[in-house]
Amino acid sequence: MIKEEEVYKIGRLGKAHGVKGEVSFQFDDDIFDRVDADYLVLDIDGILVPFFMEEYRFRNDTVCLVKFCDVDTQQRAQELTGCDVYFPRALAEEAEEQPSLASLVGFSIIDASNGKAVGRIAAIDDSTVNLLFELEDGTLIPANDELIEAIDMQQQQITMNIPIGLLNI
């Protein structure tokens, strides 16, 4: 059984496309294309289920059409509409590159000055020029490279030099 902490959300499935089982996939992170992955994980009624990909093709920078194995009809593809799509953290960690922002959701923020946990990242706010980590309690912390001291992928922790007074706002 796949556990929620073993994956991170990269997008959502949209409408069926055509009659042969293709479905549109709106993604926030193209890690599935950059890393050799045979499958994506879909949230089917609260259960994380791996779906193997036969093929996919990009429509633009944020949408692709995916054909999953054993999804051969428009009706079957329609059943997947609206499912959240996740990617395995283990496969993402094998990639020798900077972790994607989406993969950091769920990580704990540790204050470098005292070693204490500040909170867990609930979302990444990229609606402005300055990226922000949005914590579960609603606190916003700048996701600035200069503030990040270390990222521990195994422990799912980010150690940051948090500016004095930022947490008191």
Side-chain angles (χ1 to χ4, degrees):
M1 182 169 176
I2 299 172
K3 297 177 184 168
E4 195 170 324
E5 58 270 8
E6 295 173 346
V7 295
Y8 65 96
K9 185 177 175 183
I10 62 169
R12 186 178 195 93
L13 294 182
K15 296 179 181 178
H17 180 80
V19 296
K20 299 192 180 195
E22 276 187 318
V23 63
S24 66
F25 170 33
Q26 174 106 25
F27 57 89
D28 302 320
D29 187 342
D30 67 349
I31 186 76
F32 65 95
D33 187 50
R34 293 181 281 124
V35 174
D36 189 24
D38 296 329
Y39 66 96
L40 296 173
V41 179
L42 304 184
D43 183 342
I44 307 290
D45 297 327
I47 299 172
L48 298 173
V49 181
F51 275 74
F52 287 85
M53 296 181 288
E54 278 184 25
E55 61 184 5
Y56 60 89
R57 55 193 165 105
F58 289 93
R59 302 248 352 225
N60 58 43
D61 289 345
T62 60
V63 176
C64 72
L65 298 176
V66 179
K67 172 71 175 77
F68 291 111
C69 295
D70 300 324
V71 178
D72 297 324
T73 65
Q74 183 179 21
Q75 180 183 359
R76 181 67 177 113
Q78 287 173 338
E79 293 171 4
L80 300 177
T81 297
C83 288
D84 287 333
V85 180
Y86 294 84
F87 194 79
R89 288 187 189 276
L91 291 178
E93 290 171 9
E94 290 175 8
E96 295 181 24
E97 58 185 63
Q98 192 83 1
S100 67
L101 288 173
S103 70
L104 300 178
V105 172
F107 277 41
S108 295
I109 300 289
I110 306 297
D111 188 344
S113 67
N114 59 21
K116 293 183 180 177
V118 174
R120 296 178 65 83
I121 300 172
I124 306 293
D125 182 346
D126 61 356
S127 61
T128 64
V129 174
N130 298 315
L131 291 173
L132 299 169
F133 293 135
E134 183 178 336
L135 303 185
E136 291 172 341
D137 66 0
T139 303
L140 298 174
I141 297 178
N144 186 312
D145 287 340
E146 294 176 11
L147 298 178
I148 297 174
E149 190 173 289
I151 299 175
D152 186 338
M153 297 301 287
Q154 300 293 1
Q155 297 292 321
Q156 295 187 357
Q157 295 179 339
I158 301 173
T159 304
M160 297 185 70
N161 294 309
I162 299 173
I164 297 173
L166 179 69
L167 299 176
N168 298 329
I169 295 176

